[in-house]
Amino acid sequence: MRILLQRLDGKEAEWISEFAGQLPEAEVIAWREGESIPDCDYAAVFRPPAAMLGDLGKVRAIFNLGAGVDALLKFGEALPAHVPLVRLDDAGMGVQMAEYVSHAVLRHFRRFDDYEAQARAGIWQPLPAFDKVDFPVGVLGLGVLGTRVLDALAQFEFPLRGWSRSQKHIDGVDCFAGEEGLEAFLRGTRVLICLLPLTQDTHNLLDRARLSMLLPGAYVINVARGAHLAEPDLLSLIRSGHIAGATLDVFRNEPLPQQHPFWQEPRITITPHVSANTLRRESVAQIAAKIRRLQAGEPVAGTVNRLQGY
């Protein structure tokens, strides 16, 4: 069995070593542009270049080494249609995402940004506390990561809301679904967390009209994709006071350009796409288990529906 491996970070040797430990029957070959690659049974890729597509037509499955598959699906018909795409279900990203989002929610709820500013100015002054009854937290996207985040936030007893394309039922969460449920979801949400996959339907979803539906003084947390958010609209709504601030980990252009106005807005917290990193050991273990199921003729979880985009 041969696995074709492609990485952007040049750390193929570490991944090959991990595969050797968890799938010793496989030979892992690092992809190099312009080099002749022998026929492989599977491919594991992360944001592959267009030049790699010709090497993917004969594999039995393509494993994506990340949470989102939009970087693969952007190739459209150029990506072999007959080859299944398989995403990582979690592979250690869920707990990282729960940590990041919980921190952002609690930092805003407990007014730690305000206290930090006061501390820098030498001011000792308790501030009025928010009431959780008036602080409903809503998650856009109820997949593996979204439900993991909701599980974490439930420990803090916030009113919880969730929205997904199709109806979901989660204990303790007020769930909404479809285009008809989106406005009702937004109008009752004080803290908005975006964990959606990026598709044609979700591109630019968070524009001025939808962000304006949020409760006054809302807070936005985006850990999905930068293209979900209309950046000028968010900035305008923060400056108008309708939105209190935001924590953003993803952006339309990364790294975020130095001239971008977000850098000068103190009510926006910026992190460099670190909310949930792909963990090598957990990812390889999951891929190895799925390859063994495919070898046995069994179905695997995480197979991408290309029409839906996830």
Side-chain angles (χ1 to χ4, degrees):
M1 182 200 308
R2 289 195 181 107
I3 300 172
L4 182 61
L5 173 69
Q6 175 267 331
R7 295 284 304 172
L8 287 175
D9 55 12
K11 297 181 179 179
E12 292 91 346
E14 298 175 9
W15 285 77
I16 289 172
S17 176
E18 195 69 48
F19 270 108
Q22 301 203 40
L23 201 66
E25 63 268 35
E27 175 188 5
V28 181
I29 301 168
W31 182 85
R32 295 285 185 273
E33 186 170 359
E35 291 185 4
S36 177
I37 300 290
D39 289 344
C40 291
D41 302 284
Y42 301 95
V45 303
F46 182 70
R47 297 183 181 177
M52 189 183 185
L53 298 185
D55 295 328
L56 301 180
K58 295 181 180 180
V59 300
R60 293 181 57 184
I62 301 168
F63 292 91
N64 186 58
L65 299 176
V69 294
D70 46 288
L72 269 171
L73 295 179
K74 71 178 182 181
F75 293 117
E77 295 180 359
L79 190 69
H82 63 283
V83 180
L85 306 179
V86 185
R87 64 178 181 272
L88 295 174
D89 299 323
D90 183 335
M93 287 181 281
V95 65
Q96 295 177 75
M97 196 66 80
E99 292 166 352
Y100 182 102
V101 171
S102 295
H103 175 270
V105 172
L106 293 172
R107 183 176 179 84
H108 177 59
F109 176 72
R110 294 297 303 270
R111 306 194 65 173
F112 291 143
D113 280 329
D114 297 326
Y115 284 120
E116 184 176 315
Q118 287 190 170
R120 286 196 298 266
I123 298 172
W124 178 285
Q125 177 62 54
L127 298 171
F130 293 126
D131 189 333
K132 282 185 179 174
V133 174
D134 302 321
F135 218 84
V137 178
V139 174
L140 278 168
L142 300 180
V144 173
L145 298 182
T147 53
R148 182 66 180 83
V149 165
L150 285 166
D151 285 344
L153 292 173
Q155 308 306 308
F156 303 110
E157 301 180 0
F158 291 106
L160 298 178
R161 302 158 66 81
W163 181 90
S164 55
R165 176 177 174 174
S166 56
Q167 189 65 52
K168 302 286 182 67
H169 299 281
I170 303 173
D171 289 344
V173 179
D174 194 4
C175 292
F176 300 79
E179 185 65 30
E180 65 280 5
L182 182 57
E183 181 173 347
F185 166 79
L186 293 171
R187 290 197 181 280
T189 294
R190 177 79 174 268
V191 177
L192 178 68
I193 301 158
C194 183
L195 274 160
L196 291 167
L198 183 61
T199 68
Q200 288 185 340
D201 292 335
T202 64
H203 190 277
N204 222 39
L205 181 74
L206 300 178
D207 59 9
R208 178 182 296 275
R210 295 190 179 92
L211 290 172
S212 296
M213 295 175 186
L214 295 169
L215 292 170
Y219 196 83
V220 175
I221 301 168
N222 190 12
V223 287
R225 288 291 186 265
H228 287 125
L229 180 66
E231 293 176 349
D233 293 350
L234 173 67
L235 192 60
S236 175
L237 288 167
I238 288 176
R239 289 173 174 170
S240 75
H242 181 72
I243 291 180
T247 293
L248 307 177
D249 186 54
V250 290
F251 305 89
R252 290 176 181 266
N253 297 302
E254 296 181 2
L256 187 66
Q258 284 300 308
Q259 67 274 20
H260 198 290
F262 280 175
W263 290 114
Q264 282 72 51
E265 176 47 69
R267 289 163 290 189
I268 295 179
T269 297
I270 294 169
T271 55
H273 206 140
V274 295
S275 54
N277 296 314
T278 300
L279 301 182
R280 185 174 61 251
R281 184 186 306 110
E282 290 83 349
S283 297
V284 172
Q286 187 177 124
I287 292 170
K290 290 186 177 185
I291 285 177
R292 290 196 173 101
R293 288 185 64 87
L294 289 171
Q295 290 289 99
E298 299 173 355
V300 296
T303 301
V304 174
N305 183 321
R306 299 197 192 195
L307 293 178
Q308 293 180 348
Y310 56 92

